[in-house]
């Protein structure tokens, strides 16, 4: 069985962003596990059908900030009836996801206060914790998989790929390198732009 962990963040990895904006104190990364064949044959078509029913086209990229602010194509969600239908269908879609979801969060302010000299990059820390959980899940299910996330910028992506490779090559405090290499089918982290949906 081959699986893929799709992940995305809420918040920013900037460890000091909360000093200017208290809403930036936390960073969370959520990963959803899909069996690759189920994702490609079933879930993708269900997601496209959902977007077509609500927005008239499957070419809509669901972005939380825009959905909540009713920006762009999501301006249609200002209509309360359509919004209620969007919410109902989205919940049904989320309930149909055939694999687990993992979320890892960090309080960046507390992290800075605890580690005065050394700080693990918040984004790298939550990704490491997320991939650890994924690998343990793969091990329990005697399965293998890879990891895919949303690209941000060349600089951020390069650093994130290096952090992922470090986990793959060296393991972590809770995971040996052998466990990582046995369960992850690639040493490379796949990152795709938001426009790839």
């Amino acid at each position: 069985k081959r699986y893929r962990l799709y992940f995305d963040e809420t918040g920013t990895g900037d460890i000091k962003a909360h000093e200017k904006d208290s809403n930036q104190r936390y960073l969370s990364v959520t990963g959803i596990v899909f069996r690759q064949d189920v994702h490609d044959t079933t879930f993708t078509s269900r997601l496209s059908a959902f977007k077509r029913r609500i927005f008239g086209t499957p070419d809509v990229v669901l972005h939380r900030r825009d959905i909540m602010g009713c920006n762009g194509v999501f301006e249609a969600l200002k209509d309360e009836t359509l919004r209620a239908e969007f919410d109902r269908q989205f919940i049904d879609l989320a309930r149909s996801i055939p694999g687990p979801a993992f979320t890892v969060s960090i309080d960046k302010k507390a992290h800075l206060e605890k580690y005065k000299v050394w700080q693990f990059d918040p984004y790298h820390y939550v990704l490491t914790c997320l991939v650890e959980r994924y690998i343990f899940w793969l091990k329990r299910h005697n399965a293998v998989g890879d990891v895919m996330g949303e690209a941000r910028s060349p600089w951020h992506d390069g650093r994130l790929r290096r952090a992922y490779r470090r986990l793959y090559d060296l393991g972590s405090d809770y995971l040996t390198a052998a466990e990582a290499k046995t369960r992850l089918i690639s040493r490379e982290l796949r990152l795709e732009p938001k426009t790839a949906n």
Side-chain angles (χ1 to χ4, degrees), residues 40-108:
D40 295 346
T41 61
T42 306
F43 193 78
T44 299
S45 61
R46 289 194 68 201
L47 180 60
S48 292
F50 161 72
K51 292 190 281 189
R52 194 176 288 110
R53 284 190 305 272
I54 300 295
F55 301 107
T57 177
D59 300 328
V60 174
V61 176
L62 300 177
H63 188 246
R64 182 184 178 278
R65 184 178 301 136
D66 292 334
I67 292 168
M68 298 306 292
C70 297
N71 300 324
V73 70
F74 304 107
E75 187 173 353
L77 297 178
K78 289 180 179 177
D79 177 286
E80 291 181 22
T81 303
L82 184 64
R83 182 57 184 239
E85 187 60 19
F86 172 89
D87 290 345
R88 185 189 66 74
Q89 288 187 35
F90 187 82
I91 289 169
D92 287 345
L93 189 64
R95 284 185 178 135
S96 75
I97 294 173
F102 305 104
T103 297
V104 178
S105 300
I106 186 171
D107 178 337
K108 295 180 289 184

Side-chain angles (χ1 to χ4, degrees), residues 181-192:
K181 291 173 183 173
T182 299
R183 298 297 162 190
L184 296 174
I185 62 172
S186 176
R187 183 177 182 257
E188 296 304 317
L189 176 65
R190 291 190 58 186
L191 298 172
E192 298 288 341

